[in-house]
Amino acid sequence: MSIIQNDSFLKTLRRESTPYTPVWMMRQAGRYLPEYRESRKKAGNFLELCKNKNFATEVALQPLDRYPFLDAAILFSDILTIPDAMGLGLYFEDGEGPKFNNPLHGEEAIFKLDIPDVEESLSYVFDAVSSIKKALSNRVPLIGFSGSPWTLATYMIEGQGGTDFMKVKKMMYSRPDLMSHILKINAETVSRYLACQIKAGADVVMLFDTWGGILSHHEYEQYSLNYMKVIISNLNILGFEDIPKIIFTKGGGQWISKQAKIGADGIGLDWQTSLSSARKQVKDQVTLQGNLDPSILLSDPKVIESAVKKVLDDYGVGEGHIFNLGHGITQFTPLENVLVMLETVRNYSKKFH
Ligand code: CP3
């Protein structure tokens, strides 16, 4: 194993001491960066950026080159690569978000759904991981990721983003057998997918459970959390106990104590949950990641500085906090506001360590 030069992110996931609070941003490689928009124009579209390892590497490194205070890189890809590999036919229409040509409808199609040959059909993702890892020259660790089984299922069944989730919820309540079948296949596929990302060079893996928060208190554990637990156990059985694992259920702040018990090293929080109350619940056993409201970055430097300090103050003294946004950075974020946030995190957080 080679030594990573800036290992503050890894150390924080292991709850070891660091001189300051490490930071990265969800969607840090994205449309708020003019250089990203330029690369996307060259590639033709977003999926081509994901499928061509040279483009994926170029855009994954752009935020790090612009902002040297970032303490982690993230694979450039999308969570919807898995349903695409299952044959659902992913496409993006400009400004509209993801859609599928063949969403999962009907019992027959659902029982035909199978675990894809991950190594073969998603090889472009693992090629991107190796290429990004190499280009990083061990500057900072590389995060690999996947959608959670539940969040993938919402897109597979709804057929697109931005819905009211009636199709997926109807299936869950009326045909729990079909729902569990899909979730089992997703969990097995995600386990293999993340194992391949780790083998290709990912230092940490993260599960994005973007839509776990739409579940009721009675269903969250059964339909989302338990399948994330299966993935963590599978990775541990495969020998990846030492690879830190982060889970992030958006809107899941009321279930933190349950989340802390599935073997994850880190829990991501959105901005609706207080870091200090979360910290009390996890009793300092798990690292917390978050949780600035990304909309604050649309304001001005004074407001941003004060909001960043509030987040750091809320966590307080000691190890175990990774600064992040509570969700992805928006495309309308001014570049200088990101710099203000990163500088404030780096300078102000020193007093807590
Ligand atoms: O920098 C990074 O964080 C890495 C790249 C990354 C992307 N998507 C690139 C992307 C990551 C980690 C994701 C995860 C992802 N994708 C999630 C989970 C995180 C979250 O945001 O909740 C989800 C739900 C998706 C599905 C998805 N992909 C949606 C809903 C959209 C459209 C919304 C939007 O912002 O346009 C995408 C497209 C997407 N994925 C873009 C990027 C950079 C924008 C594509 C473009 O250039 O137009």
Side-chain angles (χ1 to χ4, degrees), residues 85-101:
M86 289 171 167
L88 274 66
L90 173 66
Y91 66 99
F92 284 84
E93 262 167 25
D94 257 359
E96 280 204 35
K99 286 197 177 149
F100 289 106
N101 284 316

Side-chain angles (χ1 to χ4, degrees), residues 13-15 205-207 225 228-233 235-236 241 243-248 256 258-268 282 285-288:
L13 281 164
R14 293 192 220 109
R15 312 195 51 74
V205 290
M206 174 155 165
L207 285 171
L225 189 65
M228 294 199 276
K229 184 177 178 181
V230 166
I231 294 164
I232 292 176
S233 310
L235 291 174
N236 290 341
E241 294 100 329
I243 297 289
K245 300 157 194 89
I246 305 173
I247 60 166
F248 170 53
I256 287 163
K258 287 182 178 174
Q259 290 167 7
K261 292 187 186 113
I262 68 162
D265 304 271
I267 297 177
V282 303
Q285 299 298 304
V286 179
T287 291
L288 298 174

